[in-house]
Amino acid sequence: MKPIIIASKKDPAGMNIIQNIKKLKCKIPIYLVEEDIVHAENIDNYLKKQEKLDFDFIIFASKHQSVKKIKSLSVHPIGNWKNAEFGGKSETICQSNALIIKHFFQTLEKNMKNANLKEFNLTMESTHHGPYIETPSLFIEIGSTSEEWMDKKAGELIAQTIIYSVNTINKINNKIKIAFGIGGPHYCPNFNEIQLGNKFAISHIIAEYALPLTKHEITEAINKTLPKVNCVLVDWKGLGNATQRNHALELLKKFDLEIIKTSEGK
């Protein structure tokens, strides 16, 4: 794994994380962009061709915003199931490595417990924003207001999580099942619980608000997940009404995937 960390100069949370990474004398390359991070379209191609940088994974250090202003630390892949409202391309998601996302998420949980950071919620998020890139990546974020974005303890904890996760990437259990998720709310509590367990590694999540499910969404989730997907986790009660649930199940049966309800995957 040859990672690079990218943040926006306009992003107080991203800069908080970067400052703490520098304090820890991290050897991972860092690159700062001028624009909002979700609009850093094709930044991977630019860095490889114009800046001659060598990397195969991008870690975006960023802020998270939410209407409810919940204090949170989150990890998630990127892309758009429907219209691209916050960067990226419509109906296009980006490459995601389920094992790496799981490793970062589990490391973040351990660090939060060790730091006794009880005021923050740990969560994944359903896939929902840009930028569009072709290199596997993840976002790791501090949410959800300027108070949290500037929180020194949160910035230090995220920085430690990034460095430790990269340095221990060879400890990843690559024998577990690779999955993507369908259903449930944006902050996906059922998928969070499964991701912290030892049975599945989850990449992209299609939340209930991105339904009705389409063949294109399933194909995108399969094609944009590394390693190869072998199952799909379904939040059955979060698949909308009976018609939407039946429609989703009929579509999924057309693919060579094991279909597992989240209630059975914990």
Side-chain angles (χ1 to χ4, degrees):
M1 181 182 181
K2 294 181 287 187
I4 187 170
I5 303 167
I6 299 179
S8 169
K9 294 178 182 178
K10 297 170 63 175
D11 182 349
M15 295 309 297
N16 178 12
I17 296 166
I18 293 299
Q19 287 165 6
N20 278 284
I21 285 174
K22 289 180 177 178
K23 287 179 183 177
L24 295 171
K25 298 181 179 180
C26 169
K27 295 181 180 179
I28 305 170
I30 295 169
Y31 189 85
L32 303 179
V33 299
E34 301 290 340
E35 65 268 50
D36 288 333
I37 201 74
V38 298
H39 296 297
E41 312 293 353
N42 297 300
I43 185 64
D44 53 341
N45 287 334
Y46 171 80
L47 294 178
K48 289 175 180 179
K49 293 179 181 178
Q50 302 299 321
E51 301 291 338
K52 308 301 180 185
L53 296 175
D54 183 24
F55 57 89
D56 59 15
F57 194 88
I58 297 176
I59 301 161
F60 290 102
S62 173
K63 67 182 179 183
H64 170 70
Q65 291 178 283
S66 72
V67 175
K68 294 183 179 180
K69 300 180 180 180
I70 297 171
K71 294 185 176 183
S72 65
L73 302 180
S74 63
V75 179
H76 67 84
I78 57 176
N80 298 288
W81 299 115
K82 304 298 185 186
N83 294 330
E85 298 179 3
F86 303 102
K89 295 181 180 181
S90 295
E91 299 181 6
T92 305
I93 62 172
C94 301
Q95 290 286 346
S96 164
N97 188 304
L99 292 172
I100 294 177
I101 286 180
K102 182 181 184 71
H103 186 54
F104 270 71
F105 193 64
Q106 290 183 324
T107 300
L108 183 54
E109 186 217 20
K110 291 175 184 176
N111 286 346
M112 289 175 71
K113 285 183 176 180
N114 291 339
N116 199 30
L117 205 69
K118 295 179 179 179
E119 64 269 30
F120 282 82
N121 289 332
L122 170 68
T123 188
M124 294 194 299
E125 295 178 62
S126 62
T127 304
H128 68 295
H129 66 62
Y132 174 77
I133 56 173
E134 296 176 349
T135 303
S137 68
L138 61 78
F139 262 64
I140 187 163
E141 303 174 336
I142 301 174
S144 295
T145 71
S146 57
E147 181 180 351
E148 289 78 48
W149 300 337
M150 301 297 292
D151 188 294
K152 292 181 179 179
K153 195 171 183 180
E156 183 178 12
L157 191 142
I158 292 289
Q160 291 170 344
T161 296
I162 291 172
I163 295 170
Y164 182 84
S165 296
V166 169
N167 289 341
T168 57
I169 211 77
N170 60 335
K171 294 183 179 181
I172 288 177
N173 177 8
N174 58 11
K175 303 296 183 183
I176 59 180
K177 291 184 176 180
I178 306 301
F180 65 95
I182 302 175
H186 180 74
Y187 295 105
C188 44
N190 287 327
F191 295 115
N192 289 339
E193 187 176 347
I194 292 172
Q195 191 79 303
L196 291 173
N198 298 309
K199 296 180 181 179
F200 303 91
I202 304 170
S203 62
H204 292 283
I205 297 171
I206 306 169
E208 185 174 5
Y209 62 74
L211 301 177
L213 187 65
T214 66
K215 182 180 178 180
H216 176 74
E217 288 176 332
I218 300 171
T219 302
E220 277 285 282
I222 293 171
N223 292 342
K224 302 293 178 65
T225 294
L226 297 169
K228 183 181 178 181
V229 170
N230 45 43
C231 62
V232 55
L233 290 161
V234 178
D235 189 334
W236 192 245
K237 293 182 179 179
L239 278 182
N241 57 37
T243 301
Q244 286 182 323
R245 286 197 297 271
N246 291 333
H247 169 73
L249 191 59
E250 288 305 310
L251 271 182
L252 288 169
K253 286 179 179 177
K254 296 178 181 179
F255 293 82
D256 186 24
L257 295 172
E258 183 180 5
I259 302 170
I260 303 167
K261 293 181 180 180
T262 52
S263 58
E264 301 168 348
K266 296 177 181 178

